[in-house]
Amino acid sequence: MERIAALMLCQKDRLIWRKRLTECYRATGDWTIYALPPSIILPGLDSIDGFIDIGDGIFLHSGITEGVSTGSVLRIRDPRLLPLSEEAGLFVSRDRGLDFIFGEGKVKADQAVLFEFDGYITRIIKRRPLRLSLPAEP
């Protein structure tokens, strides 16, 4: 069983992202886009315990899929995520070689999750909400 730590997108962005993944599925036929719920995966991190700084929860992603150890992602190069994972990205597919252009964009995360994946079935084994920290007013 493989464990994957991730930041789950807020409900609105999960719905929007699921539509975009469906478009990708129709174009590529890659069913593994449904292997995980819409989320920012954090390859190399195997626990969601401890402090996770997500600031306002908004992350910018690249528009072109890139292969990482757990599949294809739209990379998120954000200093808040670097201490957690150097391969952080918006999950697209378990296929590391998926070639699809989504266009740059932003998503908002609001909880940390730990998935367990056995190759066919994904289960959420731990979930916790994250506190958003907004900039202090002057």
Side-chain angles (χ1 to χ4, degrees):
M1 293 263 183
E2 177 182 13
R3 288 195 172 184
I4 302 168
L7 301 177
M8 186 77 80
L9 303 186
C10 69
Q11 183 177 0
K12 176 185 168 194
D13 285 355
R14 275 196 312 265
L15 294 172
I16 291 168
W17 192 242
R18 181 59 71 199
K19 283 183 180 180
R20 298 196 68 205
L21 288 174
T22 299
E23 293 167 9
C24 177
Y25 171 73
R26 288 180 180 145
T28 66
D30 180 8
W31 66 270
T32 67
I33 63 167
Y34 298 115
L36 296 175
S39 55
I40 298 168
I41 60 171
L42 305 168
L45 187 65
D46 60 358
S47 171
I48 59 169
D49 297 331
F51 180 71
I52 298 176
D53 176 17
I54 63 166
D56 61 3
I58 297 173
F59 296 94
L60 302 175
H61 63 76
S62 68
I64 300 171
T65 55
E66 189 175 323
V68 296
S69 60
T70 54
S72 289
V73 298
L74 300 179
R75 289 298 293 267
I76 295 177
R77 289 176 171 74
D78 189 296
R80 295 171 291 176
L81 298 181
L82 277 177
L84 303 173
S85 175
E86 293 181 7
E87 295 184 333
L90 186 58
F91 176 78
V92 176
S93 168
R94 293 292 294 179
D95 178 0
R96 289 185 189 120
L98 183 71
D99 185 22
F100 194 82
I101 298 174
F102 287 90
E104 293 180 350
K106 65 181 178 179
V107 292
K108 185 172 185 177
D110 63 0
Q111 57 185 300
V113 294
L114 187 60
F115 297 113
E116 197 169 67
F117 183 72
D118 71 0
Y120 297 99
I121 298 172
T122 300
R123 294 183 318 173
I124 296 175
I125 58 173
K126 191 170 191 178
R127 174 191 312 244
R128 71 181 177 99
L130 296 173
R131 183 175 300 151
L132 303 178
S133 57
L134 302 175
E137 293 185 31

